[in-house]
Amino acid sequence: MRIIKGILYALALPTLLVLLWWASTLGTKSFFVPTPGTLVATFAETWLGDRMRTDVMPSILRLFVGVSAAIIIGIVAGLLIGSVKWLRALTEPVLEFFRAVPPPVLVPVLMLLMGISDAMKVVVIISGCIWPVLLNTIEGVRAIDGVLSDSAHTYGISGWARVRYLVLPSAGPQILAGVRQCLSIGLILMVISEMFASSSGLGFTIVQFQRSFAVPEMWSGIVILGLIGVAMSFIF
């Protein structure tokens, strides 16, 4: 019963929004807003075929690699910087500088340095996703209860045992909060990285649809991005 109730709650608002959309487009022939039926037909025709293999799956793979790398690098570096006071004091100004640089402006620079490749797109995703994980990990390590830290020191708990039994459990909630933020950032940067000098991917295809006035196809691309975001949220 609880599972059924949860499913009903999850589907209630989307169903209501689709009904409102259907009612607002009933009897109209707007070129810019397709009806739900038209969008569903266009979605199936556009994406359930070769484009799933040539555009969707490569984009998802780049997103997975970029987000995974950002999470691993952010957690490892955050644990190290958060645990060493002098290292935190040394790196904090530089980290704040790079955190303030919007990742999209790095795309032209990375294109010059790395060329137009999948590696460049992955690095763009990493450049934006790493900051919430890294900074939340640092703050989580800094916020460890002093009594627990002193107790671990007294009992001679150090090295990997300290990280496993004290640092990670204490900083875990903030680390996961950073991971949750980086998922949505990664999806945005995946699209942006594919809009520049690319020949495949969801971002490239959606822009091509927009430029050729294929409006239903453009909307179907936006829908598939939303579905990927929902899937990532459920997996998380």
Side-chain angles (χ1 to χ4, degrees), residues 42-63:
T42 303
F43 183 93
E45 182 182 346
T46 303
W47 301 108
L48 301 183
D50 290 339
R51 276 202 176 92
M52 181 63 69
R53 176 180 54 85
T54 59
D55 291 317
V56 179
M57 297 310 298
S59 292
I60 293 176
L61 179 60
R62 287 190 286 264
L63 175 63

Side-chain angles (χ1 to χ4, degrees), residues 32-110:
F32 300 104
V33 182
T35 62
T38 301
L39 185 57
V40 170
T42 303
F43 183 93
E45 182 182 346
T46 303
W47 301 108
L48 301 183
D50 290 339
R51 276 202 176 92
M52 181 63 69
R53 176 180 54 85
T54 59
D55 291 317
V56 179
M57 297 310 298
S59 292
I60 293 176
L61 179 60
R62 287 190 286 264
L63 175 63
F64 174 77
V65 173
V67 168
S68 299
I71 292 172
I72 294 171
I73 297 171
I75 291 176
V76 173
L79 291 174
L80 181 62
I81 296 172
S83 301
V84 182
K85 291 183 179 180
W86 67 265
L87 185 59
R88 185 168 66 243
L90 180 67
T91 58
E92 188 171 13
V94 178
L95 293 179
E96 289 298 328
F97 171 81
F98 282 109
R99 183 181 69 87
V101 177
V105 305
L106 297 177
V107 174
V109 178
L110 293 174

Side-chain angles (χ1 to χ4, degrees), residues 21 25 29-35 210 213-216 218-219 222:
W21 174 20
T25 56
K29 295 183 179 180
S30 174
F31 176 76
F32 300 104
V33 182
T35 62
Q210 181 264 331
F213 295 97
V215 176
M218 181 192 71
W219 281 106
I222 295 172

Side-chain angles (χ1 to χ4, degrees), residues 144-223:
I144 293 175
D145 184 83
V147 176
L148 290 177
S149 183
D150 291 340
S151 299
H153 180 73
T154 301
Y155 282 101
I157 301 174
S158 59
W160 171 244
R162 177 184 173 86
V163 173
R164 180 180 179 184
Y165 296 111
L166 174 63
V167 177
L168 285 178
S170 298
Q174 285 191 258
I175 294 174
L176 289 178
V179 171
R180 181 66 184 87
Q181 294 174 30
C182 94
L183 294 180
S184 57
I185 294 174
L187 186 59
I188 295 169
L189 291 177
M190 178 200 77
V191 175
I192 292 175
S193 68
E194 293 172 349
M195 288 181 174
F196 292 89
S198 182
S199 59
S200 65
L202 279 169
F204 166 79
T205 306
I206 292 172
V207 170
Q208 290 301 111
F209 286 149
Q210 181 264 331
R211 289 174 178 172
S212 60
F213 295 97
V215 176
E217 288 80 3
M218 181 192 71
W219 281 106
S220 69
I222 295 172
V223 169

